[in-house]
Amino acid sequence: MSGFKADFLWGGAVAAHQLEGGWKEGGKGVSVADVMTAGAHGVPREITNGVLEGKNYPNHEAIDFYHRYKEDIKLFAEMGFKCFRTSIAWTRIFPKGDELEPNEAGLKFYDDLFDECLKYGIEPVITLSHFELPFHLVTEYGGWRNRKLIDFFVRFAKVVFQRYQHKVKYWMTFNEINNQANFHEDFAPFTNSGLKYAPGEDREPVMFQAAHYELVASALAVKAGREINPSLQIGCMIAMCPIYPLTCAPDDMMMAMNAMHRRYWFTDVHVRGKYPQHLLNYFERRGFALDITEEDKAALTQGCVDYIGFSYYMSFATKATADNPQLDYDESKSLVSNPYVQKSDWGWQIDPVGLRYSLNWFWDHYQLPLFIVENGFGAIDVQESDGMVNDQYRIDYLAAHIREMKKAVVEDGVDLMGYTPWGCIDLVSAGTGEMKKRYGFIFVDKDNEGNGTLNRSKKKSFDWYKQVIASNGEQL
Ligand code: P53
C-alpha cells in the first residue's frame, strides 16, 4: 500500500450540542449540555440544577448551526469533505428521553441536514450519544446508574436507524465512553453518563455500573441496527490517550500497562463482547458487586462493533510510586508530565508519534478497521486586520499527525477508514465551554461572552486542508 485507500473518508467532526444551538427549537428538550456553564482552563464548568437565570450557558446558542447548516455544509463541500461526523441530539428526538413516541420535528431536522450533506456527496457519520443525554433522565432516573436507561437508549437508536438507514451508513454508539475512567472529577461522569455523586459517595463502582449499562445498551443497539439493515456499519468511540511509562523502570512499565487496562477495557467489551479477566479480578479485589446479569452477558456477545472510532489529541505518561504498591491507576492523580513533548495552551501534550503508536496498539489488539474521528489543535486564533486567521500552528499540528497516520498505514499495515479532524468549524469547547479554544478551518465570529456576528470566514488552514483532501493526503 503506497498511501491512503482511494475511498478514504476525509472530513471533519462536530457534535450536536457544541454547534447547533436552537436549544428549544422544534420541541427540543433540555440536555446535560444545556445545564453546563462556561468555564476556562483550570476553571471547571459548573453543572447547575436545571437552567438558572443569569448564568452563561454557551451551548444554548452555540454557533447557531441549527439555522445556518446550509451555509456551513457548503463550505465543507468546498473543502472536498467526503464525510461529516456529527451527532443526533437525543433531546430533539425524545425531548425527555422516556417518551414512547419520537418528536417528528426533530426527526425532520436531521432528514434535512443529511439531505443537505448527501447533495454534495458528503457521507454523514453519526454518533448516537455525544455528551447530550436528556437532562430529565438525570433528574428522574439518576442517569446511567439506572438500568432503565438501556431501554430508553435502545428505543432512540432503533428510531433513528430505521428513519435514516438509507441516508447514514456509518454510526457510533457512545462518544468517548472511556473518558469516565476519570471518575474523581465531575465532568466526565456527568457528560458521559449523567452521573451526579452524593458527597462522600464511593464513585468508582457507580462509574463501572453506568459503563456496564451503556455497553449493554450499545450492544443491543448494534444488534438492532443490523436487524434493521445489515449494511449499516456501527462502531464504538474511544478517547485514545496512550499512557507511556515515564521511565523504563520495570515498575513504571507495569504501572503504564495497568493504566492502559483501566482506561481501555471498554474497547475489549465493545469488540470482543466480554470483560477482560483483569477487570473481573479487580472488581473482586475491590469488592464491587455489580449488576451484570446472564442476559447482559449474552447481549454483549451479540452486539460486537464493526469498527473502532477513536479520538486522538494527546498522550499521557505515568509512573509507579511507593504509596501505590498495587500500581492502581487513578487518572486524577497518576499522570505526570512528559518531558519530551510540548503542550498546548490548555496543557494537552502534543505528540504526533503517539497517533502512530495508538493506531498500532488498536490494530495489534483488535484487528478491526480503525477510524480517527477526532484529532486537532485547540488554540487561540487572532484575526488580522483583513479578517484572515494565519493558523500555521494548526496546519503544522495536523500535518505532523497525518504524516504519522500515513506511516501507520503504509509501513505498519494498519487498516484505516478515514480521518475527521475535530471542530472543522469553530464551536463551543466541551471541556471548558469556551469559544476561544478553537479548532476550525472556518472561523466563527463569537467570543466567550457570546458577543459577535456569528459570521463564518475561512482561515489559512481551509485551503491547506482542501489540498490535503484533493491529493488524498500526499500534499501536506
Ligand atoms: P475540548 C478530554 C480529553 C480528550 C477529548 O475537547 C475530550 C475531552 C473532553 O474535554 O473530548 C473530545 O472541546 C470530545 C469533543 C471535544 C473534543 O474532544 O475540551 O469528543 O466533544 O470537544 C475537544 O477542547
Side-chain angles (χ1 to χ4, degrees):
M1 171 120 6
S2 63
F4 299 110
K5 298 176 183 186
D7 58 356
F8 193 78
L9 289 167
W10 294 99
V14 299
H17 72 282
Q18 289 173 262
L19 89 167
E20 284 180 2
W23 72 294
K24 283 179 158 174
E25 305 260 350
K28 183 184 168 298
V30 175
S31 80
V32 294
D34 292 321
V35 301
M36 296 178 72
T37 67
H41 181 37
V43 182
R45 302 182 70 175
E46 192 188 341
I47 298 165
T48 58
N49 202 359
V51 175
L52 307 182
E53 235 6 87
K55 298 266 183 193
N56 177 11
Y57 297 105
N59 301 69
H60 287 186
E61 181 190 53
I63 62 159
D64 195 33
F65 181 78
Y66 187 79
H67 296 109
R68 295 167 194 245
Y69 68 87
K70 290 189 178 165
E71 180 192 345
D72 296 340
I73 289 166
K74 191 162 180 236
L75 288 165
F76 300 156
E78 197 183 325
M79 275 187 278
F81 279 22
K82 313 284 185 210
C83 73
F84 172 53
R85 175 181 177 233
T86 187
S87 58
I88 293 178
W90 186 343
T91 48
R92 290 201 190 281
I93 312 303
F94 289 98
K96 292 171 130 183
D98 58 359
E99 298 91 339
L100 295 175
E101 296 301 326
N103 170 34
E104 179 56 31
L107 287 168
K108 172 82 169 48
F109 171 70
Y110 291 105
D111 264 323
D112 295 347
L113 173 62
F114 300 156
D115 287 343
E116 194 66 21
C117 293
L118 295 168
K119 183 171 120 186
Y120 297 102
I122 298 176
E123 184 118 42
V125 174
I126 299 303
T127 316
L128 291 173
S129 180
H130 192 135
F131 305 169
E132 51 210 358
L133 180 73
F135 186 59
H136 175 77
L137 299 183
V138 176
T139 53
E140 293 304 306
Y141 299 90
W144 278 98
R145 67 172 79 214
N146 193 324
R147 178 178 276 281
K148 290 194 180 121
L149 266 75
I150 297 175
D151 291 342
F152 301 145
F153 177 81
V154 174
R155 185 178 302 145
F156 163 57
K158 282 182 180 165
V159 164
V160 296
F161 287 151
Q162 192 73 46
R163 176 88 169 208
Y164 306 121
Q165 56 174 309
H166 302 300
K167 298 182 182 179
V168 180
K169 177 176 178 195
Y170 297 101
W171 300 81
M172 280 166 274
T173 54
F174 289 90
N175 186 64
E176 296 190 333
I177 189 168
N178 62 318
N179 263 0
Q180 55 197 323
N182 192 356
F183 56 87
H184 281 300
E185 286 166 17
D186 292 336
F187 176 80
F190 188 66
T191 54
N192 274 137
S193 304
L195 295 180
K196 286 185 165 190
Y197 291 106
E201 185 172 11
D202 186 3
R203 292 179 165 222
E204 194 173 10
V206 180
M207 179 276 286
F208 281 120
Q209 188 64 68
H212 172 70
Y213 292 148
E214 286 161 6
L215 289 161
V216 172
S218 172
L220 290 171
V222 169
K223 185 165 176 259
R226 277 191 194 125
E227 282 162 10
I228 288 167
N229 188 333
S231 72
L232 302 185
Q233 291 286 304
I234 311 173
C236 57
M237 201 303 202
I238 304 292
M240 178 42 115
C241 311
I243 309 170
Y244 303 163
L246 182 65
T247 76
C248 50
D251 273 352
D252 282 355
M253 190 61 214
M254 283 308 296
M255 179 68 198
M257 189 192 79
N258 286 350
M260 289 296 283
H261 278 170
R262 204 70 78 236
R263 225 188 119 83
Y264 299 103
W265 63 269
F266 302 80
T267 332
D268 294 3
V269 182
H270 272 308
V271 173
R272 302 191 180 120
K274 64 183 183 121
Y275 279 82
Q277 192 61 41
H278 65 74
L279 194 67
L280 297 173
N281 292 1
Y282 180 71
F283 292 163
E284 200 176 302
R285 163 155 75 82
R286 298 298 309 274
F288 297 159
L290 303 180
D291 171 30
I292 300 177
T293 66
E294 291 307 313
E295 292 80 55
D296 292 349
K297 290 182 194 164
L300 291 177
T301 61
Q302 292 165 20
C304 297
V305 292
D306 296 313
Y307 67 94
I308 298 171
F310 71 94
S311 64
Y312 178 83
Y313 294 89
M314 60 190 145
S315 59
F316 289 164
T318 190
K319 71 179 172 74
T321 53
D323 61 354
N324 181 17
Q326 304 262 32
L327 303 178
D328 281 330
Y329 177 68
D330 172 345
E331 194 152 309
S332 61
K333 289 201 293 223
S334 304
L335 297 179
V336 295
S337 174
N338 178 345
Y340 299 98
V341 301
Q342 306 277 311
K343 293 188 179 69
S344 81
D345 287 341
W346 279 263
W348 291 19
Q349 301 191 134
I350 303 163
D351 178 10
V353 176
L355 176 58
R356 180 180 181 185
Y357 175 78
S358 297
L359 284 160
N360 276 278
W361 187 91
F362 275 129
W363 184 245
D364 287 350
H365 277 77
Y366 305 112
Q367 289 90 40
L368 271 193
L370 303 174
F371 195 165
I372 302 168
V373 294
E374 289 182 29
N375 172 234
F377 189 54
I380 296 170
D381 289 338
V382 180
Q383 274 185 303
E384 318 264 310
S385 50
D386 60 355
M388 185 47 106
V389 173
N390 287 305
D391 55 345
Q392 188 60 41
Y393 39 89
R394 181 166 295 110
I395 294 172
D396 293 344
Y397 176 100
L398 294 170
H401 284 76
I402 294 171
R403 275 188 202 101
E404 293 302 323
M405 167 173 118
K406 194 166 166 197
K407 288 182 201 162
V409 170
V410 175
E411 296 179 34
D412 309 332
V414 164
D415 182 1
L416 184 62
M417 297 160 63
Y419 178 70
T420 57
W422 176 251
C424 45
I425 180 165
D426 290 347
L427 39 62
V428 176
S429 157
T432 67
E434 292 168 295
M435 269 309 297
K436 77 167 188 197
K437 190 180 186 190
R438 296 175 185 271
Y439 289 88
F441 305 115
I442 301 166
F443 185 84
V444 176
D445 178 27
K446 181 171 177 177
D447 66 17
N448 278 358
E449 287 69 46
N451 305 310
T453 60
L454 289 169
N455 282 346
R456 279 58 170 153
S457 57
K458 298 173 189 173
K459 302 183 195 173
K460 184 178 181 190
S461 55
F462 185 100
D463 285 331
W464 172 80
Y465 192 48
K466 182 177 177 177
Q467 153 211 305
V468 171
I469 297 178
S471 64
N472 200 18
E474 293 303 315
Q475 266 177 285
L476 299 174

